Amino acid sequence: MPVLRSHNAALVLDLLRAAGDAGISRLELAERTGLTPQAVSKITARLRTEGMATEAGRRASTGGKPRTVLRLVPSAASAVGLHLDRDELTAVLVDLSGALVAVRTVPLDLGAGADQVIETAAVQVDAVRAEALRAARVRAGARLDMPVGAGRVGVAPTAGTSVRAGAPVPPGPGTSAAPAARTSVASGAEASVRAGTSLRAGMRPDLVAGECDGAQDVLGVGVAMPGPLDHRAGVPGRVTGFPEWEGFPLREALAARLQLPVVLDKDTNAAALGLALRGAGDSFAYLHLGTGLGAGLVLGGGLHRGARTGAGEFGHQVIQLDGPRCDCGNRGCIEALCLAAVARGDLPEAARVLGAGAANLVGLLDIDRVLLGGRTIAAHEACFVRGVGAVVAERARGAVIPVTAAEGGPHPVAEGAAQLVLAPVFGHRRESELG
């Protein structure tokens, strides 16, 4: 996909994305962006030429001829999100609308060394791109009323496409022998083809080819991992339990291996960004409990990283002086207490401890909502929502602060990591704009 040439184009794209399949007219785009109709016409003409926008029909007008409505073409490009957890890696590929196209989860030892982690990540990026390409070809076959395998839709290579069009991504080392990998393609295309149905009979082959091309046109890779880390430099800090990562140029090394742009951020920041873009609100804390414990903060409508990307090290607030030693070196950290309670099966106590930390955040930052996520929360959602909510309500001094499980599926960190790449495409460049 050609590089966007202006912030105005990003504003138009953002409105096209928000409009969804219903689309939006050029006149509405001009009114909402403050641009002139002529400027909007030029921008939308270029977006259509680049395959990012298309006509979505006509809408009745209060006078004159019906207005042509435009919509985003989600399949025109994509982004990959990686969640590097302490014991597993999740890779997702999402389209321009943020919809999940493909996902893979494999075991990972974050302490196995940078070279091995980078190679595992690269293999899974290749694999998730291959899954997305296969899904696009299945959809393409259905739209041309072709049985799967009846022929390959020709796709001409385009500038900036980092995978050869018309050729599947070759599996990297170990990909074909990864029985533990959990793979899914977020598409009903296979079922449609098996049933012999056509999604859109008579669809032009060039548009079908464009969809296959878009499945390959990856704008970049967002990487989310435990902190602390330097978001701007793309360098991990002293990751709890894995101090060997401190100072390693992960963003630079992974970009060189993938030959794609890479963005690095903390796992909780990525999840909070994704949730905010889904409409979770302008003031909330996302608390992530899995192999560790951390927080992502959205304050005043912006993702709050702090001056040194150090905000959100929620798990290492000390709530018990002279308590058990934490992997970070301190004693009585909320992470150590909470994980210990989980390990011994005392989930109500784990929820009570987490609630104490959540109540501290509410009191310090005056946030509107607390969202809970992570593997441990997902496995015991009702217990944690109830337990954390009870402590927050008890200490909120009359304020009503909702405590709920985060919405949006089982991969909030990986999908949020993909949004680290997509957010600037739609004009969310500044911290205050969730970028």
Side-chain angles (χ1 to χ4, degrees):
M1 185 183 71
V3 176
L4 295 177
R5 289 183 280 274
S6 73
H7 181 63
N8 290 339
L11 294 177
V12 170
L13 270 175
D14 197 31
L15 289 172
L16 289 170
R17 181 171 66 164
D21 291 337
I24 186 170
S25 70
R26 292 178 179 84
L27 180 59
E28 291 172 301
L29 288 171
E31 290 172 347
R32 297 186 190 182
T33 60
L35 300 173
T36 66
Q38 293 82 0
V40 168
S41 292
K42 289 181 180 179
I43 291 170
T44 55
R46 188 173 79 245
L47 293 176
R48 290 183 64 189
T49 299
E50 295 172 354
M52 298 188 68
T54 189
E55 289 189 6
R58 294 181 181 275
R59 185 179 297 164
S61 174
T62 56
K65 63 181 182 179
R67 297 173 184 169
T68 299
V69 175
L70 302 174
R71 67 171 178 84
L72 182 73
V73 179
S75 60
S78 59
V80 171
L82 293 179
H83 179 193
L84 305 183
D85 208 345
R86 292 170 174 84
D87 61 355
E88 72 176 22
L89 180 152
T90 298
V92 302
L93 186 142
V94 304
D95 65 19
L96 285 177
S97 72
L100 187 64
V101 177
V103 57
R104 287 176 61 87
T105 299
V106 298
L108 176 73
D109 178 2
L110 194 60
D115 289 345
Q116 185 170 330
V117 171
I118 288 172
E119 185 59 29
T120 301
V123 167
Q124 297 311 314
V125 170
D126 284 348
V128 80
R129 294 175 71 178
E131 292 294 339
L133 183 56
R134 282 194 288 270
R137 285 178 176 155
V138 169
R139 288 193 299 271
R143 291 175 183 176
L144 288 173
D145 288 328
M146 293 167 55
V148 176
R152 177 177 292 172
V153 178
V155 183
T158 59
T161 301
S162 54
V163 178
R164 293 192 308 276
V169 179
T175 301
S176 60
R182 302 194 298 276
T183 305
S184 65
V185 177
S187 169
E190 290 92 340
S192 298
V193 174
R194 287 195 297 269
T197 60
S198 170
L199 301 183
R200 195 183 304 171
M203 185 175 180
R204 285 162 44 197
D206 61 321
L207 296 182
V208 173
E211 179 166 343
C212 290
D213 193 32
Q216 300 174 91
D217 196 356
V218 175
L219 302 178
V221 178
V223 181
M225 68 180 294
L229 56 77
D230 187 331
H231 162 73
R232 293 181 179 86
V235 175
R238 194 174 180 83
V239 179
T240 304
F242 302 92
E244 63 272 19
W245 279 101
E246 185 174 11
F248 180 79
L250 178 57
R251 183 181 65 194
E252 178 182 324
L254 193 54
R257 173 64 177 81
L258 295 172
Q259 293 296 293
L260 285 169
V262 172
V263 183
L264 177 68
D265 209 337
K266 291 202 302 187
D267 46 10
T268 49
N269 285 345
L273 171 64
L275 291 167
L277 292 172
R278 288 175 180 268
D282 291 338
S283 171
F284 67 86
Y286 168 75
L287 307 183
H288 186 94
L289 178 59
T291 58
L293 175 61
L297 304 173
V298 172
L299 306 176
L303 181 63
H304 181 70
R305 295 187 177 96
R308 292 164 294 279
T309 326
E313 288 299 312
F314 170 83
H316 300 293
Q317 56 176 304
V318 174
I319 63 171
Q320 181 180 326
L321 296 178
D322 301 321
R325 186 169 295 279
C326 178
D327 287 342
C328 73
N330 292 327
R331 288 187 176 274
C333 289
I334 188 172
E335 177 177 297
L337 295 169
C338 194
L339 292 181
V342 171
R344 64 177 181 265
D346 191 351
L347 296 177
E349 173 63 9
R352 188 180 74 85
V353 171
L354 183 56
N360 288 344
L361 276 184
V362 171
L364 285 170
L365 302 176
D366 196 24
I367 53 178
D368 294 335
R369 299 179 66 189
V370 175
L371 303 177
L372 306 179
R375 275 184 275 165
T376 303
I377 300 293
H380 311 283
E381 183 178 303
C383 176
F384 278 96
V385 170
R386 181 173 59 250
V388 174
V391 179
V392 170
E394 180 183 353
R395 293 177 48 186
R397 299 184 180 183
V400 178
I401 308 297
V403 176
T404 62
E407 299 179 354
H411 311 294
V413 174
E415 292 185 56
Q419 289 295 343
L420 293 170
V421 175
L422 290 182
V425 175
F426 296 95
H428 303 291
R429 286 188 170 87
R430 298 187 298 276
E431 299 262 338
S432 62
E433 293 178 305
L434 303 169

